[in-house]
C-alpha cells in the first residue's frame, strides 16, 4: 500500500501591476496560503458499529451466554459450582498425589478461573515446593509441569537437566514433550539446557503431528503457535474451554460448568465497559476530527482486556483502552499527517502540559491534545483520592517522552536518515507505547501496599523491567508490521536495519530479532522473582499494539 498525498483546497495568490510606470501599484487577489501536502495511509474505517456497541450495556446485564451452558451439563448456581471447585482444591491440599495436584492447578489456570482460588493454589504450590521431588523416567510430564507452575509463581526452582535425557529415551511421549516445551519458555539467561529442550521438543512435536489423534494434534498445534506463558489469559481460557469440553474421557464436568458460567459473567462485565468506552469515544468526536487516523477503539479494548482482564480491574482496563486509542491517533499524527514544523510545535506543547492547548496548533492537534490532557487528568485525580499521591507530573512526562520519541522517528523519516540498530531500539523502547501504558496502569491496579512517592519514582525512572517490556513490544510490533511499513515507505524497522547492517536476508534478520526477544523474556523471567515492582509482569504486552 503506497502513500498518497491528500488533495488540498488551497489557491495561490496572483499579483499583477496596474501600470508600467514606476509609481504603479501592485494589486494581489485575495486568497489563502497554500496548505501543506498531507500524506494518507488509506486506513480502512472501523468495521464496528458504535451505535450497536452502545446497546451492549442494555442487552447484557449479567446474562451473556456466549459459551453455551446446555452443552456442558445441567444448570447449577454460580455459588454452588464455585464451592464445588473449592472442594476439589481442598481435597487436593490434603492428598498425596503430586501429579494430580499439578494437573488440577494447571487445568484451573487454563480455564481462567484460578483468580477465584488464589489462596488454595498458593498453599498447594508452597507445599509442593517444600517437598523434595525426584525426576522420574516414567513421569517427565509431571516434573516439567511442577517446574513451570512453581517458576511462574515466583518460587526459586531449577530445571532438572535429567528430564531431557529421560525424554530422549521416550521421544514419542506427546504429553511429556508438550509439558517440557511449555516449561522451556520460563528459562533464565544461561540455562542452555532449557534452550536445548525447547528446540528438541519443538522439532519432535512437529514430526509427530501426523501420527497424533485429532484432540492431541489440536492442542500441540495451538501450543506451537504460541506457548502458554506468552498468551493472553482471557483468549487462552476461551480456547481451552472448548478444547477441554472435547476431552470427554479426562475432563471434569464440574470444572467445565463453572468455567463456562464464569466466562460468560466476566464477558458481560467487559461488554458493559465497552459500551461506556463507545459512548466516551463518540463524545470526543476525534473519529471525525482526525479522519486520517485509524479508528481502533474495539481493538484497543481487546488489547486492554488481554492485558488485565479480571472483573475487579474494570477502571484500569477502560483507562488502558482509552490511552491506547489515543496513542494510535498520536502515532498517526506523527507518522502520517503532521508536517515536521507542526510536530515540533506539538511536542513542545505536550511538554508544557497546560490545560488549554496552544492556539498556534492546528485544530486537529488541539482536539487530540485536549482529550489526552483530560483523560490523564481523570486518572491522576482518581489516584489522588485513593492513595493521596499526585501522579500528574509522572503521566505528563510519559506523554512527553513518547511524543519526543515519535518526533525522533519523524525526523529520521523526513531526513531520510537510517539510524543504527542501537539508536532505533533505544528510541523504540519508548515509542512502543509500553512505558506510557504501564505508568497509567501501575497506579490503578489493586496492590497490597499503598502507593507511595517512592514507588512512583521507580516507575517514572523506567526501571529495567519496564525497559524489557517495552523492548518486547517494539520487537513484536516490528515483526508484525515490517512488510507493510516497507510498502508504505516508513522509517525502517529493526528487521530492515539489521538487514542493512549485517547484509543479511529478511528471514535471517527476523531470526536475530526473535532471538533478542527470547533473551529479553529470559531477563523478565528472572526479574519476576527479584523485582520490587513485579506487579508490572501482569501488564507485559502479549500482542503488538500499533
Amino acid at each position: 500500500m503506497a502513500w498518497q498525498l491528500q488533495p488540498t483546497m488551497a489557491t495561490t495568490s496572483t499579483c499583477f501591476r496596474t501600470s508600467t510606470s514606476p509609481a504603479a501599484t501592485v494589486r494581489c487577489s485575495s486568497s489563502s496560503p497554500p496548505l501543506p501536502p498531507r500524506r494518507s495511509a488509506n486506513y480502512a474505517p472501523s468495521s464496528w458499529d458504535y451505535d450497536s456497541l452502545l446497546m451492549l450495556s442494555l442487552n447484557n446485564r449479567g446474562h451473556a451466554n456466549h459459551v453455551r451452558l446446555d452443552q456442558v451439563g445441567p444448570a447449577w448456581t454460580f455459588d454452588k459450582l464455585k464451592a464445588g471447585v473449592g472442594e476439589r482444591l481442598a481435597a487436593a491440599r490434603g492428598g498425596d498425589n503430586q501429579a494430580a495436584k499439578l494437573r488440577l492447578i494447571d487445568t484451573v489456570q487454563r480455564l481462567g478461573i484460578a483468580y477465584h482460588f488464589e489462596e488454595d493454589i498458593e498453599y498447594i504450590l508452597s507445599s509442593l515446593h517444600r517437598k523434595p521431588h525426584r525426576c522420574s523416567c516414567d513421569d517427565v510430564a509431571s516434573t516439567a509441569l511442577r517446574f513451570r507452575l512453581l517458576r511462574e509463581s515466583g518460587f526459586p526452582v531449577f530445571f532438572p537437566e535429567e528430564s531431557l535425557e529421560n525424554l530422549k529415551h521416550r521421544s514419542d511421549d506427546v504429553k511429556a514433550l508438550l509439558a517440557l516445551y511449555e516449561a522451556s519458555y520460563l528459562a533464565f539467561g544461561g540455562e542452555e539446557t532449557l534452550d536445548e529442550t525447547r528446540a528438541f521438543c519443538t522439532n519432535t512435536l512437529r514430526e509427530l503431528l501426523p501420527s497424533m489423534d485429532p484432540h492431541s494434534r489440536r492442542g500441540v498445534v495451538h501450543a506451537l503457535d504460541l506457548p502458554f506463558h506468552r498468551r493472553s489469559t482471557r483468549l487462552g481460557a476461551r480456547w481451552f474451554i472448548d478444547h477441554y469440553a472435547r476431552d470427554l474421557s479426562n475432563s471434569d464436568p464440574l470444572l467445565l460448568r463453572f468455567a463456562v458460567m464464569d466466562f460468560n459473567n466476566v464477558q458481560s462485565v467487559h461488554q458493559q465497559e465497552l459500551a461506556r468506552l463507545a459512548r466516551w469515544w463518540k463524545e470526543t468526536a476525534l473519529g471525525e476530527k482526525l479522519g486520517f487516523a485509524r479508528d481502533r477503539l474495539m481493538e484497543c479494548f481487546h488489547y486492554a482486556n488481554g492485558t488485565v482482564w479480571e472483573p475487579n480491574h474494570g477502571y484500569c482496563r477502560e483507562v488502558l483502552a482509552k490511552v491506547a486509542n489515543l496513542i494510535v491517533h498520536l502515532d498517526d499524527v506523527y507518522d502520517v499527517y503532521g508536517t515536521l514544523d507542526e510536530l515540533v510545535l506539538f511536542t513542545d506543547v505536550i511538554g508544557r502540559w497546560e490545560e488549554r492547548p496552544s492556539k498556534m496548533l492546528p485544530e486537529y492537534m488541539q482536539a487530540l491534545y485536549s482529550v489526552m490532557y483530560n483523560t490523564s487528568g481523570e486518572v491522576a485525580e482518581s489516584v489522588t483520592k485513593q492513595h493521596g499521591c499526585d501522579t500528574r507530573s509522572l503521566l505528563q512526562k510519559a506523554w512527553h517522552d513518547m511524543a519526543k520519541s515519535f518526533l525522533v522517528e519523524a525526523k529520521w523519516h523526513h531526513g531520510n536518515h537510517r539510524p543504527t540498530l542501537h539508536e532505533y531500539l533505544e528510541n523504540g523502547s519508548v515509542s512502543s507505547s509500553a512505558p506510557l501504558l504501564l505508568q497509567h496502569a501501575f497506579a490503578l491496579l489493586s496492590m497490597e501496599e499503598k502507593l507511595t512517592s517512592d514507588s512512583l519514582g521507580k516507575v517514572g525512572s523506567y526501571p529495567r523491567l519496564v525497559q524489557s517490556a517495552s523492548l518486547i513490544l517494539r520487537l513484536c510490533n516490528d515483526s508484525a508490521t515490517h512488510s507493510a511499513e516497507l510498502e508504505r515507505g516508513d522509517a525502517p524497522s529493526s528487521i530492515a536495519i539489521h538487514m542493512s547492517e549485517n547484509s543479511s536476508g529478511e528471514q535471517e534478520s527476523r531470526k536475530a530479532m526473535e532471538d533478542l526477544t527470547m533473551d529479553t523474556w529470559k531477563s523478565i523471567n528472572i526479574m519476576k522473582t527479584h523485582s520490587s515492582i513485579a506487579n508490572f509482569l501482569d501488564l507485559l504486552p502479549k500482542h503488538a499494539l500499533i
Side-chain angles (χ1 to χ4, degrees):
M1 176 174 62
W3 290 105
Q4 294 184 0
L5 292 179
Q6 292 188 345
T8 67
M9 300 298 293
T11 59
T12 58
S13 299
T14 303
C15 300
F16 52 92
R17 292 183 182 273
T18 58
S19 169
T20 57
S21 66
T25 60
V26 177
R27 291 190 298 110
C28 296
S29 63
S30 177
S31 61
S32 302
L35 293 175
R38 304 285 187 183
R39 297 194 302 166
S40 170
N42 292 325
Y43 291 124
S46 174
S47 57
W48 301 96
D49 179 3
Y50 287 125
D51 290 333
S52 297
L53 295 180
L54 289 171
M55 299 299 293
L56 287 174
S57 61
L58 300 176
N59 297 334
N60 296 284
R61 297 189 181 276
H63 301 290
N65 197 34
H66 298 282
V67 182
R68 289 180 57 187
L69 285 165
D70 59 359
Q71 294 179 342
V72 296
W76 288 29
T77 67
F78 181 86
D79 290 340
K80 185 177 180 180
L81 288 170
K82 182 178 178 180
V85 178
E87 290 171 2
R88 293 278 199 278
L89 288 164
R93 287 175 61 164
D96 295 324
N97 190 331
Q98 288 198 39
K101 293 180 182 182
L102 292 165
R103 288 194 299 271
L104 177 59
I105 292 175
D106 183 44
T107 300
V108 167
Q109 289 182 346
R110 288 177 179 270
L111 287 170
I113 55 177
Y115 73 105
H116 288 289
F117 311 101
E118 291 177 350
E119 290 185 5
D120 291 313
I121 292 172
E122 176 74 14
Y123 181 91
I124 295 172
L125 290 178
S126 295
S127 66
L128 290 172
H129 180 250
R130 290 192 302 268
K131 190 172 183 178
H133 178 79
R134 295 183 61 185
C135 180
S136 168
C137 294
D138 297 327
D139 201 1
V140 175
S142 291
T143 299
L145 182 57
R146 178 182 185 274
F147 167 79
R148 178 173 69 79
L149 292 177
L150 289 175
R151 181 164 282 190
E152 277 182 334
S153 297
F155 290 94
V157 61
F158 295 95
F159 181 71
E161 297 186 4
E162 62 268 27
S163 293
L164 179 58
E165 293 305 317
N166 290 340
L167 184 62
K168 287 181 178 179
H169 297 295
R170 304 179 58 181
S171 58
D172 60 344
D173 188 340
V174 173
K175 288 184 178 179
L177 285 164
L178 191 56
L180 279 172
Y181 164 83
E182 294 282 15
S184 71
Y185 282 90
L186 276 295
F188 293 167
E191 292 184 326
E192 288 83 4
T193 301
L194 280 169
D195 294 334
E196 182 184 351
T197 297
R198 182 171 54 258
F200 174 81
C201 292
T202 300
N203 293 332
T204 307
L205 285 169
R206 285 174 177 164
E207 292 172 359
L208 292 175
L209 278 174
S211 62
M212 295 179 193
D213 64 85
H215 185 77
S216 296
R217 186 185 305 120
R218 185 172 184 262
V220 169
V221 168
H222 185 71
L224 291 176
D225 179 57
L226 194 67
F228 178 73
H229 183 55
R230 297 188 183 179
R231 281 195 178 274
S232 160
T233 302
R234 188 69 176 161
L235 290 177
R238 182 63 183 87
W239 180 88
F240 189 74
I241 287 172
D242 282 346
H243 186 67
Y244 190 63
R246 290 188 174 100
D247 191 8
L248 299 179
S249 60
N250 295 303
S251 61
D252 183 334
L254 175 67
L255 296 182
L256 185 59
R257 290 174 197 145
F258 181 64
V260 168
M261 186 175 290
D262 186 67
F263 186 94
N264 289 338
N265 288 346
V266 175
Q267 178 118 314
S268 178
V269 172
H270 292 165
Q271 289 174 331
Q272 293 176 50
E273 294 166 358
L274 185 56
R276 287 194 294 271
L277 285 167
R279 186 174 298 107
W280 164 80
W281 184 241
K282 290 194 70 172
E283 289 173 355
T284 68
L286 287 182
E288 294 76 31
K289 295 175 181 177
L290 280 72
F292 57 86
R294 290 163 290 176
D295 188 347
R296 299 293 183 264
L297 178 66
M298 174 66 91
E299 290 79 357
C300 290
F301 179 71
H302 178 69
Y303 172 90
N305 188 27
T307 303
V308 52
W309 63 271
E310 295 88 343
N312 60 311
H313 291 320
Y315 182 56
C316 179
R317 188 162 42 252
E318 290 185 46
V319 167
L320 280 175
K322 290 179 179 180
V323 174
N325 202 28
L326 293 173
I327 290 171
V328 170
H329 283 70
L330 189 67
D331 183 56
D332 288 342
V333 166
Y334 279 83
D335 267 4
V336 179
Y337 197 74
T339 67
L340 193 55
D341 288 340
E342 290 174 349
L343 299 178
V344 170
L345 178 60
F346 196 23
T347 306
D348 180 66
V349 169
I350 293 173
R352 292 200 299 273
W353 204 243
E354 297 170 344
E355 182 176 1
R356 296 185 180 278
S358 170
K359 294 299 183 181
M360 296 178 64
L361 288 176
E363 289 186 4
Y364 77 94
M365 284 184 169
Q366 292 185 43
L368 178 57
Y369 175 88
S370 293
V371 180
M372 290 163 46
Y373 183 91
N374 292 334
T375 300
S376 287
E378 291 172 4
V379 173
E381 183 179 353
S382 175
V383 173
T384 300
K385 290 180 179 178
Q386 182 177 355
H387 297 284
C389 293
D390 189 351
T391 58
R392 287 176 299 179
S393 60
L394 174 74
L395 300 181
Q396 178 272 329
K397 179 180 181 296
W399 278 112
H400 192 213
D401 286 348
M402 194 176 69
K404 288 189 292 185
S405 70
F406 282 176
L407 181 60
V408 167
E409 294 176 353
K411 289 180 176 178
W412 287 344
H413 173 77
H414 286 279
N416 293 316
H417 171 71
R418 181 179 290 272
T420 65
L421 184 59
H422 175 76
E423 290 173 332
Y424 174 82
L425 292 179
E426 185 174 37
N427 187 73
S429 65
V430 179
S431 68
S432 69
S433 77
L436 178 62
L437 289 165
L438 289 171
Q439 287 174 38
H440 277 81
F442 180 68
L444 297 178
L445 290 175
S446 299
M447 299 188 179
E448 295 179 359
E449 299 180 3
K450 193 169 182 65
L451 194 65
T452 64
S453 299
D454 183 55
S455 59
L456 286 174
K458 290 180 180 178
V459 177
S461 65
Y462 297 159
R464 187 182 172 198
L465 184 56
V466 175
Q467 295 176 25
S468 297
S470 304
L471 178 58
I472 287 177
L473 186 54
R474 177 77 278 154
L475 293 171
C476 290
N477 183 19
D478 286 358
S479 176
T481 62
H482 167 72
S483 300
E485 288 175 346
L486 276 182
E487 191 175 343
R488 290 198 301 260
D490 283 0
S493 68
S494 57
I495 296 171
I497 295 171
H498 185 275
M499 291 171 63
S500 176
E501 290 185 353
N502 296 275
S503 300
S504 57
E506 180 176 335
Q507 293 307 312
E508 182 181 350
S509 292
R510 281 187 178 275
K511 177 62 168 57
M513 296 302 98
E514 290 171 3
D515 291 343
L516 179 57
T517 302
M518 177 64 73
D519 290 341
T520 308
W521 269 109
K522 289 178 181 178
S523 69
I524 287 174
N525 292 337
I526 294 175
M527 285 184 280
K528 180 168 186 178
T529 303
H530 299 100
S531 175
S532 61
I533 54 169
N535 292 34
F536 265 131
L537 287 157
D538 293 330
L539 295 174
L540 289 178
K542 306 294 177 72
H543 305 285
L545 171 61
I546 325 180

